[in-house]
Amino acid sequence: MPGDAIAGGRGRRALVLVENLSVPFDRRVWQECTTLRDAGWTVDVICPQGSKRDTEAEAVIDGVRIHRYPLQAATGGPAGYLREYGSALWHTVRLARKVGPVDVVHACNPPDLLFLPALWLKRRGARFVFDQHDLVPELYLSRFDRGEDLLYRGVCALERLTYRAADIVLATNESYRDVALRRGGRRAEDVFVVRSAPDTDRFRPVPPEPELKRGKPHLLCYLGVMGPQDGVDYALRALAKLRDEVGRTDWHAVFVGGGDTFDAMVELSRRLGLADQVEFTGRVPDADLVRYLSTADVCLSPDPRNALNDVSTMNKVLEYMVMGRPIVSFDLREARVSAGEAAVYAPANDESRFAELVAELLDDPDRRAWMGKLGQERINGPLAWRNSQRSLLAAYAAACADRVPLPAGGRGRPGKRPRR
């Protein structure tokens, strides 16, 4: 990173707000925090506590101070989310008061409600960086299947208010940047693409462990969240077709991860008669995740095409690539941007073709090896985190271009900023 970018953080303080995951479990947020720390920033994070990890109320990890609050995940539909988000906002404001004045408040969605504590901090001189991890209106449509009802219009309004409040917007890919420009009405110079990328120091292949294949010649692997929009049901139906239509039973499949639909997916696997060939691990430590991915012959990215998935960058695709694994995906715009020829693509939501592509890769070890090598080259080249680091630091420099750093124990003196 350029020396002037590193120097630009000295004497400055950033507060990162997260509601969706704990930190450092949220890998994108953790990479951003450590990048800012290395650039001289003092970094605080406010986030929920995890259930099995990240459970301490307060921790200092690698120089980043993390303030965590108890939060019960939503159940029971939209009303449950309202209770969850109300509690999260109360705790966020409470802990932000404890942190004190900051130069930048960096809010990561979902939900698009963190602009409220960000506005409170803006009135005290902070700049607001909106880190748009998800398109919440599209996320709402994909999760609840309620159409463009009153709640949908409400989340659209919250997104507009967040865009309006932000000084700088971080987009995870060019598709999200286009939304910020078109739907959010943001100026091109205020929107920076900061792509997510795996930590190549943490994710490195290890020797495969054939015993993980449970006596079968091949291992198939799914990694990721299991929510309504993530397509685990598509993957399971495709595996049933792999067995019944393609006639292949020479595989064992492991699904790593958890989420809202975990129990429902285990039950669907049982109903499809896959219980003996499909293993659900839940969330596992990174070391176990690396073992499974290093042993996998083919990795699955079954996210169905919808308004959200088509334009979203899937972290699991990037993590498959860094481990050198070939991928079967549905044909999604941003999946092609990320994986290129490191994946093969079934027509959108076509489970039969998805199964056929899995079988084709199982029969072609040379192609699998070539695809895996290509994926690693992309992760270490155009998709490397070092490129996103430069963009992140440029975004922070733009946010603070007219701001005097905070004096020790006090507030900075913001200069005049052009009206937006």
Side-chain angles (χ1 to χ4, degrees):
M1 288 175 286
D4 57 346
I6 295 175
R10 291 184 184 138
R12 299 190 186 275
R13 191 172 195 178
L15 174 61
V16 181
L17 309 180
V18 190
E19 195 277 343
N20 197 38
L21 290 172
S22 64
V23 176
F25 180 72
D26 189 317
R27 290 170 181 150
R28 172 186 171 88
V29 172
W30 185 242
Q31 286 175 304
E32 290 174 326
C33 291
T34 55
T35 294
L36 292 169
R37 177 207 62 199
D38 292 345
W41 287 77
T42 298
V43 182
D44 288 78
V45 181
I46 296 175
C47 67
Q49 291 172 312
S51 57
K52 295 182 180 179
R53 57 178 291 178
D54 301 340
T55 56
E56 305 90 345
E58 186 165 325
V60 179
I61 302 175
D62 296 340
V64 176
R65 184 172 294 277
I66 306 171
H67 313 263
R68 304 191 185 106
Y69 55 85
L71 187 67
Q72 185 173 355
T75 57
Y81 282 91
L82 291 175
R83 289 191 294 271
E84 175 189 331
Y85 295 157
S87 174
L89 285 174
W90 184 84
H91 283 294
T92 298
V93 171
R94 173 180 64 84
L95 291 171
R97 289 178 179 274
K98 177 180 175 182
V99 170
V102 296
D103 294 278
V104 169
V105 53
H106 177 149
C108 308
N109 82 333
D112 285 339
L113 286 168
L114 293 176
F115 78 94
L116 293 170
L119 280 176
W120 175 71
L121 289 164
K122 279 191 71 171
R123 288 197 292 270
R124 286 153 179 78
R127 301 299 187 215
F128 174 24
V129 172
F130 172 41
D131 193 350
Q132 191 165 27
H133 293 192
D134 280 302
L135 302 178
V136 175
E138 285 80 0
L139 179 62
Y140 176 85
L141 292 175
S142 70
R143 287 187 67 88
F144 296 113
D145 195 26
R146 296 164 59 103
E148 297 183 3
D149 61 358
L150 180 62
L151 283 174
Y152 171 79
R153 294 193 291 275
V155 297
C156 290
L158 290 173
E159 183 188 69
R160 288 194 298 271
L161 290 169
T162 302
Y163 278 134
R164 189 177 303 168
D167 295 294
I168 294 294
V169 175
L170 306 183
T172 57
N173 58 39
E174 291 292 344
S175 295
Y176 276 33
R177 183 175 187 271
D178 289 343
V179 171
L181 300 178
R182 173 178 45 82
R183 195 161 79 195
R186 298 310 311 238
R187 303 186 308 174
E189 58 266 36
D190 293 333
V191 184
F192 294 76
V193 175
V194 178
R195 295 184 62 93
S196 298
D199 184 344
T200 55
D201 291 329
R202 292 173 59 195
F203 285 92
R204 291 182 177 177
V206 298
E209 300 181 25
E211 59 271 21
L212 297 177
K213 300 184 180 186
R214 299 294 180 90
K216 298 289 186 176
H218 303 295
L219 180 67
L220 311 177
C221 188
Y222 171 90
L223 161 67
V225 176
M226 299 184 189
Q229 75 277 13
D230 295 305
V232 176
D233 53 335
Y234 283 81
L236 291 172
R237 290 190 294 266
L239 293 182
K241 292 177 185 294
L242 179 63
R243 177 195 62 197
D244 300 334
E245 296 180 6
V246 185
R248 298 290 293 264
T249 59
D250 57 342
W251 50 269
H252 178 70
V254 61
F255 284 70
V256 180
D260 298 353
T261 64
F262 179 87
D263 292 338
M265 294 302 100
V266 173
E267 174 60 21
L268 176 59
S269 174
R270 187 193 64 78
R271 293 202 311 269
L272 292 170
L274 293 170
D276 291 339
Q277 281 190 269
V278 174
E279 175 185 357
F280 290 85
T281 68
R283 288 177 176 167
V284 300
D286 285 349
D288 290 334
L289 171 59
V290 168
R291 291 170 57 232
Y292 283 117
L293 291 179
S294 296
T295 307
D297 296 286
V298 174
C299 287
L300 311 178
S301 184
D303 308 84
R305 181 188 289 170
N306 56 39
L308 175 68
N309 290 345
D310 196 41
V311 297
S312 297
T313 299
M314 304 301 173
N315 287 335
K316 59 178 165 286
V317 169
L318 304 173
E319 290 172 346
Y320 297 156
M321 292 165 64
V322 76
M323 296 297 293
R325 301 299 94 186
I327 304 160
V328 178
S329 172
F330 288 124
D331 194 359
L332 307 179
R333 184 193 318 174
E334 285 295 333
R336 284 189 177 273
V337 171
S338 294
E341 293 183 275
V344 292
Y345 304 92
N349 309 347
D350 186 337
E351 296 161 358
S352 293
R353 184 58 183 152
F354 194 98
E356 292 168 357
L357 289 173
V358 171
E360 289 176 14
L361 288 182
L362 292 181
D363 288 335
D364 195 341
D366 290 339
R367 187 181 184 192
R368 296 201 308 266
W370 175 78
M371 291 170 65
K373 184 174 184 294
L374 182 63
Q376 289 179 319
E377 289 173 352
R378 289 179 61 76
I379 288 293
N380 289 304
L383 303 182
W385 176 245
R386 62 179 176 272
N387 300 321
S388 292
Q389 286 180 308
R390 286 191 285 267
S391 186
L392 174 65
L393 295 177
Y396 265 64
C400 295
D402 57 352
R403 182 180 172 83
V404 177
L406 288 168
R411 296 177 179 173
R413 301 192 308 275
K416 290 185 178 180
R417 186 167 179 86
R419 293 180 63 85
R420 300 191 178 278

